Amino acid sequence: MVAIGELTQVRYEQAAPGIARIVLARPEKRNAQGTRMTYEIDAAMRAACEDDGIVVIILAADGDDFSAGHDLSLSESPAGAAGERVSLWGGDGGPGWEPMYRREREVYLEMCERWRNAPKPVIAAVQGNVISGGLTLMWVADLVVATADARFRDNTASDLGVPGVEFFAHPLELGVRRAKQFLFTGGWLSAQDALAAGMVNAVVPRAELAAHALALAQEVARTDPFTLKLVKASINAAQDAMGRREAMQAAFANHQVGHLQNMLVHGFPIDVSRLPENVRRRLEHARRAADA
Ligand code: ZN
């Protein structure tokens, strides 16, 4: 398990009495999420949830952008240490698609599910670009504060040949028609449009983001901590009763079909033919190095 003192891509801070702040701290990579960052977020979430002195958790990010999505650079080992895992699936060394399936399920689906079900209120404070996998890091939060220059996009369908990110909350977050346009086109959604869709709670100037998120956290923290947990559990249960988890499982299966189609047609889990030439070359080079 990642120790809280050993975090390198995430910071864990006490923002104020009763308020923890988990900060994505990889701005040079626009906070791209790889395996290490995933387990570091998880360690920080665990620390905040196990500390009875913490009532509300803020999830924020250093730099210009909240998150550019999953780290596709292949620069780190895909497998987290076995002891850290949520899932008991195994199959790391298996043939065919199983190792990738296991990782996608663990790192991008079940981890998000666990964070979404964290008992304490989580407030995401987002700025700049929030792209694809970056959306899932925001969607696991209960409340979202965005800067006026924040913008949102899922380009997995339009650019990568897979039907949306693994934690498929698009129709829940945007409504059915907006979600379809969002995924069909891969277009940007502005902070104001996200506010209108109900995906974010407030839009504020960038300079006020941290203060606004903290003030909101402190306002929430005035409610009794145990009552807050019960409210969150009740609203999450209502969403689950509407079929959230089953719909996400179906979308995850479709996501895997998309990856397999790309493997058969392009030899990669994504449609590399749609990527810019330099990105495609880098991926092909990294894959050859990994195979050697
Ligand atoms: Zn995937």
Side-chain angles (χ1 to χ4, degrees):
M1 199 186 295
V2 184
I4 205 72
E6 295 169 358
L7 303 182
T8 59
Q9 298 186 7
V10 166
R11 254 191 345 275
Y12 182 70
E13 316 171 329
Q14 176 123 16
I19 315 293
R21 189 190 287 125
I22 297 169
V23 185
L24 311 181
R26 209 186 177 203
E28 73 284 1
K29 298 283 186 191
R30 296 190 297 145
N31 296 311
Q33 179 202 357
T35 306
R36 173 144 197 108
M37 180 182 276
T38 300
Y39 287 102
E40 290 197 6
I41 296 170
D42 192 61
M45 287 289 280
R46 188 185 286 268
C49 289
E50 288 179 351
D51 181 347
D52 288 337
I54 296 299
V55 182
V56 178
I57 301 161
I58 294 172
L59 181 60
D62 285 341
D64 291 338
D65 299 310
F66 179 74
S67 175
H70 294 159
D71 189 344
L72 301 177
S73 69
L74 309 178
S75 61
E76 60 175 12
S77 157
E84 303 178 311
R85 290 185 193 161
V86 179
S87 166
L88 302 177
W89 191 279
D92 296 47
W97 188 245
E98 187 174 6
M100 272 291 287
Y101 178 85
R102 179 208 70 72
R103 178 174 185 275
E104 294 245 326
R105 205 184 154 85
E106 162 76 14
V107 174
Y108 298 136
L109 179 65
E110 296 298 345
M111 274 295 190
C112 282
E113 182 73 13
R114 168 144 88 183
W115 302 333
R116 181 262 184 187
N117 292 329
K120 298 178 182 180
V122 178
I123 300 174
V126 306
Q127 75 277 14
N129 291 342
V130 186
I131 303 173
S132 299
L135 292 165
T136 68
L137 297 179
M138 179 186 86
W139 285 340
V140 299
D142 303 297
L143 306 176
V144 179
V145 180
T147 59
D149 64 1
R151 55 182 193 159
F152 309 92
R153 179 181 191 222
D154 183 341
N155 67 332
T156 53
S158 60
D159 295 350
L160 305 177
V162 281
V165 288
E166 294 83 357
F167 188 75
F168 195 88
H170 315 64
L172 306 168
E173 295 284 350
L174 294 169
V176 168
R177 300 229 183 280
R178 271 197 182 94
K180 284 177 180 169
Q181 184 171 341
F182 191 64
L183 283 167
F184 287 168
T185 67
W188 290 101
L189 190 76
S190 70
Q192 283 302 331
D193 286 344
L195 184 67
M199 191 172 82
V200 308
N201 294 81
V203 175
V204 301
R206 186 179 276 234
E208 295 170 20
L209 178 65
H212 190 100
L214 182 58
L216 181 58
Q218 288 174 312
E219 187 184 350
V220 171
R222 284 202 288 273
T223 298
D224 172 69
F226 181 54
T227 309
L228 284 172
K229 289 181 181 175
L230 298 177
V231 170
K232 176 166 176 173
S234 296
I235 294 180
N236 279 6
Q239 199 181 28
D240 291 348
M242 292 184 255
R244 179 199 64 92
R245 181 152 168 92
E246 288 75 9
M248 278 194 176
Q249 294 286 344
F252 184 74
N254 289 331
H255 180 95
Q256 298 306 312
V257 173
H259 278 318
L260 289 170
Q261 170 77 352
N262 291 321
M263 285 301 294
L264 292 171
V265 177
H266 305 289
F268 278 88
I270 55 176
D271 178 355
V272 288
S273 74
R274 291 168 176 269
L275 296 175
E277 181 69 24
N278 60 328
V279 180
R280 186 167 77 233
R281 284 230 196 85
R282 205 171 64 226
L283 278 177
E284 285 166 353
H285 180 78
R287 229 265 299 268
R288 275 196 300 276
D291 287 347

